[in-house]
Amino acid sequence: MANNNNSDEGATLRLARWVAGLTYKDLPARTRDVVRLAIFDTVGCGVYGFQTPWTQALLKWAQAGGAAGGKGQARAWNEPQSALRVADAAMVNGTSAHAFELDDYHNAKLHPGAVVIPAALAMAEAQNVSGERLVTAIAAGYEVMIRSSLALEPSAARLRGWHLTGACGPFGAAAACAVLLGLDAERTAWALGLAGTQGAGLWAFNADGAMSKRLHAGKAAHSGVLAAELAALGFTGPTQIYETADGGFLKAFSDKSNAAPLTHELGKVYHLDAVSIKPYSCCGSTHAYIDAALQLRSRLGSRWDASRPVQVGMSKVVDVQCGFDYKPSSALNAQMSLRYCLAAALNDGQVLPAQFSEAKMHDPALGKLAAHLELVDDPALDKLYPAHFAGWVAAKNGNDWMRVDILDPTGSLAAPMDAAAVSRKFAGNNPQLAVEKIAAVALNMEKHTVRELIDLLMPTVAAQVAA
């Protein structure tokens, strides 16, 4: 290694040393539970997203490239005939998991599950590693990815136009794959360096609802696999990728970056424990508002009066990201639109995949209700966000206003979704699969192999016949 004096090591080398030395026994029981539930939730999101046009396009691209010698080592979820290179399988499955805004997120403003888990499962399937090692790898990947974003100061980086899932994701995928490949600290540092130089992901998709956002998670997974595999082959990467002044990740991506979160209480505090699971099929920054709208709907009557005045409190970041005027175009446009999501919540009482059908998105009643909402700047929310994905919605009730404030939305650490809730989500989106069997494996991953889990994600003969 470039420097064996730990006290003189920079953030990259200290982080790499921790990743390389992490063992299953180091993980707290709570962290193991979070990882297992994340696996279960992510594969459910991925199987649902497999049939979307963007995932199918990536699959065709990957299959056209082929695997070395025609012997692919990993499979696309829900595709029995696939045999892909590890990096390509990770990209297809990462795109699939992020395909319909159902995947988990963290208040560091990124989606770790759709990056780390596809990369780790593809690599683990190829390497046929133990369930314990897989859980360890995913924990490392989540933690590195989340800490990478925290070091940027997420709101500042987001306001520069970065989609942090794409920017920070390669670090997480590389860390997970480094564990699975058994890389030492030096090669893990190379892997992080190679991952960081591939980080990207621009928010320009919001201009027209383009598919590029769907790609960011998959490409980050692909980049992380590539980085770890190259490092294993002796391909060096910069061992000061985070902190170096000229071209380092922190300086390049944010004007308010701080390296301290990369290693502060590393191994003692697991930020991944605070990952949020989505109950709604839309941007996580809208979820507190949906919770508030559903409570108002319940209190004021389920048949919503579209003429009722409604005000919505906004932080600056959420307003930039989700406060745009709604015009029907793509599903992503609607999923990112706070106005549309609130209109669906108030009118339909739910914001699930069904609310993003072509018919729903072009429903004049929903469009009118979305335009009717009054968005209000609230500096108090700026102080809370993104530590809390908070929001409030108020509706006129006679001469008075009824307001509901949500500090942390459903699915967050403050209002968690348990395994039973995730099972219902999984089954509702994927009725063709044996969800109970998948849960039995994913939620007891240490007792099973990755190949057992992937086998269960393939369509059954009965489902194929029924289709």
Side-chain angles (χ1 to χ4, degrees):
M1 182 172 287
N3 192 328
N4 290 318
N5 185 339
N6 291 2
S7 63
D8 293 336
E9 287 178 348
T12 305
L13 289 168
R14 293 200 300 274
L15 196 58
R17 189 177 295 282
W18 176 77
V19 170
L22 187 66
T23 69
Y24 179 78
K25 292 181 180 179
D26 294 328
L27 302 177
R30 158 72 182 167
T31 301
R32 297 175 189 174
D33 287 342
V34 171
V35 169
R36 288 189 289 262
L37 191 60
I39 294 171
F40 182 40
D41 181 59
T42 301
V43 296
C45 297
V47 173
Y48 179 81
F50 184 75
Q51 296 299 336
T52 58
W54 31 96
T55 300
Q56 288 297 302
L58 260 292
L59 178 63
K60 290 179 181 178
W61 178 88
Q63 288 175 326
K71 296 180 180 178
Q73 297 173 296
R75 290 170 286 174
W77 304 340
N78 205 34
E79 177 52 68
Q81 303 304 316
S82 62
L84 304 173
R85 294 201 316 182
V86 173
D88 288 349
M91 180 163 60
V92 172
N93 293 333
T95 301
S96 181
H98 193 53
F100 219 72
E101 294 299 316
L102 285 162
D103 50 309
D104 68 20
Y105 66 96
H106 189 276
N107 284 26
K109 287 195 65 59
L110 39 61
H111 298 267
V115 176
V116 175
I117 290 174
L121 289 185
M123 183 64 74
E125 184 179 14
Q127 298 291 322
N128 199 25
V129 303
S130 70
E132 286 190 0
R133 194 167 175 184
L134 173 68
V135 170
T136 306
I138 292 172
Y142 265 66
E143 196 64 17
V144 167
M145 184 172 171
I146 292 166
R147 286 175 176 268
S148 297
S149 185
L150 292 174
L152 293 179
E153 204 296 292
S155 289
R158 167 60 194 91
L159 288 174
R160 284 186 62 169
W162 294 114
H163 183 208
L164 291 164
T165 299
C168 301
F171 288 117
C177 291
V179 172
L180 294 168
L181 290 171
L183 301 188
D184 61 17
E186 181 177 42
R187 290 180 186 246
T188 298
W190 293 349
L192 293 177
L194 292 168
T197 203
Q198 299 178 76
L202 294 169
W203 208 270
F205 56 80
N206 239 14
D208 50 10
M211 295 180 186
S212 58
K213 183 179 191 287
R214 319 296 196 181
L215 174 65
H216 292 168
K219 189 63 178 71
H222 182 281
S223 295
V225 172
L226 174 62
E229 290 183 333
L230 287 177
L233 293 172
F235 198 112
T236 65
T239 60
Q240 299 178 53
I241 187 65
Y242 287 105
E243 67 272 23
T244 192
D246 184 14
F249 176 77
L250 297 181
K251 184 178 179 181
F253 279 78
S254 174
D255 294 324
K256 295 184 178 180
S257 61
N258 176 9
L262 290 168
T263 56
H264 180 63
E265 295 187 308
L266 184 62
K268 297 179 181 179
V269 172
Y270 284 83
H271 292 287
L272 73 93
D273 289 353
V275 71
S276 297
I277 291 177
K278 285 187 174 183
Y280 313 122
S281 181
C282 51
C283 177
S285 292
T286 70
H287 284 210
Y289 297 93
I290 294 169
D291 280 347
L294 293 176
Q295 285 192 32
L296 283 173
R297 189 175 190 271
S298 177
R299 294 180 190 181
L300 297 175
S302 59
R303 187 176 180 83
W304 190 259
D305 180 359
S307 66
R308 186 193 302 273
V310 177
Q311 293 184 339
V312 184
M314 301 292 288
S315 68
K316 181 179 180 181
V317 177
V318 176
D319 191 28
V320 169
Q321 181 170 305
C322 303
F324 53 87
D325 291 341
Y326 174 70
K327 295 180 180 179
S329 60
S330 68
L332 180 62
N333 171 267
Q335 289 168 321
M336 298 303 300
S337 168
L338 178 65
R339 289 181 176 277
Y340 179 81
C341 292
L342 278 180
L346 292 171
N347 189 76
D348 294 1
Q350 61 183 22
V351 189
L352 300 175
Q355 271 61 53
F356 301 97
S357 67
E358 287 295 321
K360 275 290 181 184
M361 292 188 297
H362 288 83
D363 184 343
L366 286 180
K368 184 177 180 180
L369 181 53
H372 180 67
L373 303 175
E374 180 186 357
L375 306 190
V376 180
D377 291 337
D378 186 348
L381 292 175
D382 289 323
K383 296 177 181 179
L384 293 171
Y385 191 90
H388 301 277
F389 275 26
W392 59 262
V393 180
K396 197 74 175 292
N397 183 29
N399 293 324
D400 300 319
W401 285 86
M402 181 178 291
R403 172 170 154 170
V404 176
D405 287 71
I406 301 293
L407 182 62
D408 298 290
T410 301
S412 67
L413 184 61
M417 290 174 62
D418 60 13
V422 175
S423 288
R424 291 192 293 272
K425 171 184 172 181
F426 198 141
N429 291 328
N430 303 289
Q432 79 281 12
L433 292 182
V435 174
E436 291 184 3
K437 291 182 179 179
I438 296 170
V441 173
L443 299 177
N444 298 278
M445 198 66 239
E446 295 89 337
K447 298 179 181 179
H448 299 274
T449 68
V450 174
R451 292 173 183 175
E452 288 180 70
L453 177 63
I454 303 300
D455 286 344
L456 290 170
L457 303 181
M458 301 302 167
T460 63
V461 173
Q464 289 176 324
V465 171

